[in-house]
């Protein structure tokens, strides 16, 4: 504080004279107010001047916005001190709450000032992104000194931001930033986002490729994953997956080609190489083989009984109870199965005999 003279009057009020552009510290102004002092600050063009060019009267009731570590001219005190308006919270995008800027560019960003531990609502960030506005959030400590700063770019999207959440300025550095469209990739497990069910989600730009090593790892470890290829950058910005190309991978995923670790594959290519189950081959997967479902027809074997010699075969036909043939299987007898039996059975008894040799022979 450039003080030319300090005068104490009989009523204990103080007069401080300053040269032009002389300043008073915010801490001193606060001290005078807190002590209930009366004071007048007078600014002179020079030490020789008789009449002040500006004055500021201070009393215990004076309302002026000053900070301990900043200095103020008499004119600035007359304007109310610091022009910064500190907020406890920012809950909407408003030029009224912004100290400067219109958000149109990084150089003309909205400037929001917050008190110590002031909060920003998550919906403010969402609104800035949707309207493509830039903003800078500055938190000040108890002494009016800048404590934390965060500069928001509307191209930035936080994957774990909650619109109803309230965030300190320092919290934004700890949120997960969704990569830019041009940076989308699926090369390793860390490129995906794990949801609450344990499934990994991978995002790709149009024509983006998935590494073979990642696909092999997912299948081998039984990790459930989904790949989403956006139709355009605009869809990605708007989080629109209506036109997206998607592919799910599970431990049972199979392809008709071998996936090489060092090769990248598009979703369209992989979908064309998915190995499909052969519908002609029956399967008991997910069924109890000892208890056919009520919708299945019971089956029985219809044998074309005839005598065969070693190395020859006969057809076993599977038919439903309604008599319709559905399959045939050829059975070839081994030499050890075609041994004549010395027991004296009539031909009609062969099907009921307990002699395995005879039953093989006359099957």
């Amino acid at each position: 504080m450039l003080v030319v003279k300090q005068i104490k009057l009989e009523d204990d009020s103080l007069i401080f004279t300053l040269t032009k552009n002389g300043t008073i510290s915010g801490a001193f102004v606060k001290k005078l107010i807190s002590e209930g002092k009366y004071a007048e600050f007078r600014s002179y063009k020079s030490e020789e001047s008789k009449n002040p060019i500006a004055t500021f009267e201070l009393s215990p009731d004076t309302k002026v916005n000053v900070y301990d570590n900043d200095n103020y001219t008499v004119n600035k005190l007359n304007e109310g001190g610091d022009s910064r308006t500190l907020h406890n919270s920012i809950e909407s995008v408003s030029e009224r709450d912004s100290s400067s800027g219109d958000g149109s560019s990084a150089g003309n960003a909205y400037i929001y000032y917050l008190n110590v531990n002031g909060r920003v609502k998550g919906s403010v960030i969402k609104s800035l992104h949707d309207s493509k506005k830039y903003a800078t959030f500055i938190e000040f400590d108890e002494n009016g000194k800048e404590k934390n700063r965060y500069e928001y770019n509307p191209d930035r999207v936080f994957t774990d931001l909650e619109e109803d959440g309230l965030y300190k300025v320092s919290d934004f550095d700890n949120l997960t930033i969704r990569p830019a469209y041009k940076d989308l990739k699926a090369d390793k497990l860390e490129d995906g986002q794990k949801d609450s069910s344990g499934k990994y989600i991978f995002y790709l730009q149009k024509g983006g490729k998935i590494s073979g090593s990642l696909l092999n790892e997912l299948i081998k470890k039984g990790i459930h994953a989904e790949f989403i290829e956006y139709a355009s950058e605009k869809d990605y910005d708007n989080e629109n997956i209506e036109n997206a190309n998607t592919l799910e991978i599970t431990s049972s995923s199979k392809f008709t080609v071998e996936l090489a670790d060092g090769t990248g594959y598009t979703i369209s290519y992989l979908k064309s190489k998915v190995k499909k189950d052969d519908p002609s081959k029956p399967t008991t997967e997910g069924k109890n083989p000892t208890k056919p479902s009520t919708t299945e027809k019971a089956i029985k074997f219809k044998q074309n009984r005839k005598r065969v010699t070693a190395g020859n075969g006969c057809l076993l036909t599977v038919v439903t109870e309604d008599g319709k043939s559905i399959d045939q299987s050829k059975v070839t007898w081994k030499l050890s199965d075609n041994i004549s039996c010395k027991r004296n059975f009539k031909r009609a008894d062969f099907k009921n005999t307990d002699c395995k040799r005879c039953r093989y022979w006359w099957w």
Side-chain angles (χ1 to χ4, degrees), residues 153 155 178-187 203-209 230 232-234 236-237:
N153 182 319
D155 292 335
R178 190 180 71 168
Y181 180 75
K182 63 181 179 62
D183 296 328
L184 295 177
K185 59 183 178 179
D187 294 335
Y203 298 102
L204 295 166
Q205 57 182 291
K206 187 173 180 60
K209 295 184 177 181
Y230 283 95
S232 66
E233 185 172 358
K234 183 178 180 181
Y236 178 67
D237 290 340

Side-chain angles (χ1 to χ4, degrees), residues 9 12 14 54 58 70 104 113 133 195 199 257 262 271 329 333 349:
L9 303 180
D12 288 335
L14 301 170
L58 179 144
D70 290 339
S104 59
Y113 296 124
K133 297 290 186 180
D195 66 13
K199 181 171 74 171
V257 295
K271 289 171 80 170
S329 298
W333 266 255
D349 294 328

Side-chain angles (χ1 to χ4, degrees), residues 6 17 68 105 153 193 242 256 283 286 293:
Q6 174 180 330
T17 59
D68 290 357
S105 65
N153 182 319
Q193 299 170 17
E242 184 178 347
T256 58
T283 176
S293 69

Side-chain angles (χ1 to χ4, degrees), residues 61-310:
D61 298 324
T62 297
K63 303 297 183 185
V64 63
N65 191 30
V66 294
Y67 299 94
D68 290 357
N69 296 327
D70 290 339
N71 297 308
Y72 304 88
T73 64
V74 172
N75 285 332
K76 195 68 175 176
L77 292 175
N78 280 318
E79 293 171 0
D82 203 294
S83 60
R84 291 175 295 188
T85 300
L86 300 188
H87 300 275
N88 291 324
S89 65
I90 302 295
E91 299 190 10
S92 64
V93 177
S94 169
E95 290 189 15
R96 178 177 56 81
D97 294 331
S98 172
S99 294
S100 64
D102 61 8
S104 59
S105 65
N108 199 28
Y110 289 127
I111 306 294
Y112 293 102
Y113 296 124
L114 293 102
N115 281 313
V116 62
N117 294 325
R119 307 296 173 118
V120 180
K121 196 170 183 179
S123 57
V124 171
I125 301 300
K126 178 69 165 54
S127 180
L128 289 169
H129 169 72
D130 292 344
S131 58
K132 299 189 181 302
K133 297 290 186 180
Y134 294 77
T136 298
F137 301 94
I138 304 175
E139 176 191 5
F140 292 89
D141 63 17
E142 296 87 346
N143 298 319
K145 185 177 180 180
E146 183 175 317
K147 181 180 180 182
N148 289 299
R149 172 188 291 254
Y150 187 81
E151 297 178 356
Y152 178 74
N153 182 319
D155 292 335
R156 195 172 299 152
V157 175
F158 298 108
T159 59
D160 45 1
L161 180 80
E162 296 181 5
E163 290 192 38
D164 291 332
L166 293 173
Y167 299 88
K168 294 188 295 185
V169 175
S170 58
D171 290 338
F172 293 120
D173 288 323
N174 300 319
L175 294 177
T176 304
I177 299 176
R178 190 180 71 168
Y181 180 75
K182 63 181 179 62
D183 296 328
L184 295 177
K185 59 183 178 179
D187 294 335
K188 55 186 183 298
L189 194 61
E190 291 74 16
D191 294 331
Q193 299 170 17
K194 192 175 182 180
D195 66 13
S196 57
S197 68
K199 181 171 74 171
Y200 280 83
I201 310 294
F202 297 85
Y203 298 102
L204 295 166
Q205 57 182 291
K206 187 173 180 60
K209 295 184 177 181
I210 309 165
S211 73
S213 58
L214 173 60
L215 291 165
N216 288 328
E217 179 184 3
L218 293 170
I219 297 171
K220 181 179 180 181
K221 294 182 178 179
I223 299 174
H224 188 193
E226 182 178 11
F227 296 89
I228 300 175
E229 176 192 352
Y230 283 95
S232 66
E233 185 172 358
K234 183 178 180 181
D235 278 356
Y236 178 67
D237 290 340
N238 296 327
E239 300 183 40
N240 175 25
I241 61 172
E242 184 178 347
N243 303 315
N245 195 9
T246 63
L247 173 71
E248 288 214 27
I249 294 293
T250 66
S251 59
S252 60
S253 295
K254 296 178 181 178
F255 298 93
T256 58
V257 295
E258 184 177 350
L259 303 177
D261 286 351
T263 303
Y265 303 91
T266 64
I267 288 180
S268 296
Y269 174 83
L270 291 170
K271 289 171 80 170
S272 71
K273 301 299 179 182
V274 170
K275 188 173 184 179
K276 298 179 175 62
D277 292 332
D278 188 346
S280 66
K281 294 183 179 180
T283 176
T284 59
E285 183 178 353
K287 300 177 183 177
N288 186 342
T290 63
K291 288 186 177 182
S293 69
T294 55
T295 59
E296 293 178 329
K297 292 185 177 181
I299 62 174
K300 63 182 180 178
F301 285 94
K302 180 180 180 181
Q303 295 83 28
N304 182 13
R305 285 194 282 174
K306 62 182 180 179
R307 185 169 181 168
V308 296
T309 57

Side-chain angles (χ1 to χ4, degrees), residues 1-8 14-19 40-42 44 47:
M1 180 172 64
L2 301 177
V3 180
V4 175
K5 188 184 298 184
Q6 174 180 330
I7 304 171
K8 185 174 182 180
L14 301 170
I15 296 178
F16 298 91
T17 59
L18 301 89
T19 56
E40 182 178 328
F41 296 92
R42 298 174 181 176
Y44 292 86
E47 293 185 20

